[in-house]
Amino acid sequence: PVMPQNMPTLEEAHVTVTAPIVNLCNCASVSMAEHTSYGTKMLDNGTLIGTRTFGGFSALVGAEGYTTNYAGHVGVQGVTPVFCYVPMEVAFSLDGHILEGHGVDPDIEVAFDVATWNKGNGPDSQLDRALQFIK
């Protein structure tokens, strides 16, 4: 069943950031980085820049014997032809789309130019676009 989750703001007086907030993401953004990326998208002043995140929202661990975060395993790793694990949770967007296995789509898509970056003289295409957006 889908269970709603509410995250209330602080009851005490606190500072509300009104300046633009930009979060950079790519396919290496996974788990908590995806929760942060989606949270940024939900802010009125938040913008996600980069490429779609990995799609691994569920809290997972690598140990087969520790299945607290899994609904179960299928097969035995390295022994059976098929091995996989099934997470016991799934994340949905506010409009009902499953984010697990898909990831978070950026508001502004900008691919990281690896070839240019590897030459050692930049630029960082995603960071440059974020700075341009903020300015």
Side-chain angles (χ1 to χ4, degrees):
V2 176
M3 296 180 297
Q5 180 180 9
N6 295 318
M7 299 178 80
T9 60
L10 296 173
E11 292 180 13
E12 304 88 34
H14 59 279
V15 175
T16 300
V17 176
T18 57
I21 297 173
V22 172
N23 188 77
L24 300 178
C25 65
N26 62 25
C27 65
S29 302
V30 64
S31 194
M32 187 60 211
E34 292 183 289
H35 288 279
T36 303
S37 296
Y38 191 70
T40 300
K41 282 182 69 93
M42 296 299 98
L43 297 171
D44 291 336
N45 57 329
T47 303
L48 193 57
I49 295 178
T51 56
R52 188 172 68 198
T53 64
F54 183 81
F57 277 79
S58 293
L60 301 174
V61 295
E64 289 180 50
Y66 184 74
T67 59
T68 302
N69 296 320
Y70 303 109
H73 292 88
V74 175
V76 178
Q77 189 171 13
V79 176
T80 58
V82 174
F83 170 77
C84 67
Y85 55 84
V86 181
M88 63 186 263
E89 61 181 284
V90 66
F92 289 87
S93 64
L94 290 177
D95 58 359
H97 290 96
I98 296 176
L99 298 172
E100 185 71 31
H102 175 79
V104 181
D105 293 310
D107 298 307
I108 301 172
E109 187 164 340
V110 179
F112 181 67
D113 187 346
V114 177
T116 301
W117 178 258
N118 285 340
K119 291 178 183 175
N121 56 356
D124 182 327
S125 51
Q126 292 175 334
L127 180 59
D128 288 348
R129 181 60 178 98
L131 293 171
Q132 177 191 26
F133 176 81
I134 289 173
K135 289 178 183 177

